[in-house]
Amino acid sequence: MTLFYTTRHIFQVKNAIASVLALFLSLQATAVADETKHSYQSCTVITTELLTTAQLYGRGIPLESLIESLPDLTPEGEKKVKSTYSLINKSDLISTYSAINSDYAKCAKKVYSHQGKPAYKTREYGYYYCSGENKLRYEIILAIFLKRTREEVIPQIPTSRQRIAAHYFDVAERDGLEAVFDLMASSLKHCVTQIAPL
């Protein structure tokens, strides 16, 4: 679903977040060196943790207060929280949201290239579905960032998702792109909660 991007626009976005992506890759300290061992679930869990941290930053929660409020936080978890806050401070919240979502799409794409589409009605299929939904929503946000009009973008989106796109345009116009990223993060977490337990 990149029909509403030209090569020049994609290049502009990549340049805009290239340095952020380079910094963000350091957040993947918990990832196994062999990326083929990732699953849709692991890609999603890592992403939701990072997005939640970014959301809390956006709500003005100081780093130390956040760490103190999470007594069961592991040393690795604390490292991820600190790295995310550091990344936001080095760039900005919108760039960090973008980097996290971009990395999620790449992670899911690598899983697909090694494992393909999971069997329907499995938990892994649920995470696969959530990653696809998130990718579409991220592409809508990129289109908004690139100043594409709703008239250009919405007709190119599957009919069942056009209301989401229209809503994202409305939120961006009313509250800004940061609010759209926050909404998108909450939507991903909601998607994950709908996955049936084992």
Side-chain angles (χ1 to χ4, degrees):
M1 245 300 299
T2 56
L3 296 176
F4 42 82
Y5 308 123
T6 65
T7 303
R8 181 175 63 85
H9 288 127
I10 292 171
F11 182 74
Q12 288 173 340
V13 171
K14 286 182 178 178
N15 280 343
I17 63 174
S19 60
V20 176
L21 285 173
L23 287 169
F24 177 70
L25 292 175
S26 67
L27 294 175
Q28 296 298 338
T30 58
V32 180
D34 180 5
E35 293 181 16
T36 63
K37 293 184 180 179
H38 264 305
S39 64
Y40 294 107
Q41 180 176 357
S42 67
C43 293
T44 304
V45 168
I46 290 168
T47 301
T48 56
E49 290 172 352
L50 297 173
L51 289 173
T52 299
T53 302
Q55 286 181 300
L56 293 170
Y57 180 101
R59 287 163 175 70
I61 307 296
L63 176 60
E64 293 310 315
S65 297
L66 175 58
I67 291 171
E68 288 172 12
S69 71
L70 301 169
D72 297 328
L73 192 64
T74 64
E76 192 56 51
E78 182 175 334
K79 183 178 177 182
K80 286 200 296 187
V81 168
K82 288 180 176 178
S83 295
T84 304
Y85 267 60
S86 175
L87 179 59
I88 296 167
N89 287 327
K90 288 176 183 174
S91 55
D92 59 62
L93 186 54
I94 289 175
S95 296
T96 302
Y97 271 130
S98 186
I100 293 168
N101 284 290
S102 175
D103 199 64
Y104 181 32
K106 289 177 184 177
C107 186
K109 184 177 180 180
K110 285 177 184 174
V111 174
Y112 185 83
S113 70
H114 292 289
Q115 300 175 21
K117 183 177 178 179
Y120 185 60
K121 290 192 176 178
T122 61
R123 281 183 61 78
E124 189 67 355
Y125 182 88
Y127 289 104
Y128 161 82
Y129 174 84
C130 290
S131 70
E133 281 290 302
N134 196 77
K135 180 178 181 288
L136 175 64
R137 291 166 192 247
Y138 180 50
E139 289 178 342
I140 293 167
I141 292 177
L142 287 179
I144 295 169
F145 172 77
L146 291 169
K147 308 295 186 195
R148 304 294 93 197
T149 66
R150 64 177 70 218
E151 292 76 22
E152 291 174 285
V153 175
I154 293 175
Q156 298 185 56
I157 293 173
T159 305
S160 63
R161 299 298 181 267
Q162 289 183 357
R163 287 179 61 188
I164 293 168
H167 182 59
Y168 277 22
F169 271 93
D170 291 342
V171 172
E173 289 169 9
R174 185 181 66 239
D175 303 317
L177 207 54
E178 187 178 303
V180 186
F181 271 118
D182 183 88
L183 174 61
M184 181 180 162
S186 296
S187 296
L188 174 60
K189 290 187 286 185
H190 177 73
C191 185
V192 170
T193 65
Q194 304 306 301
I195 298 171
L198 289 173

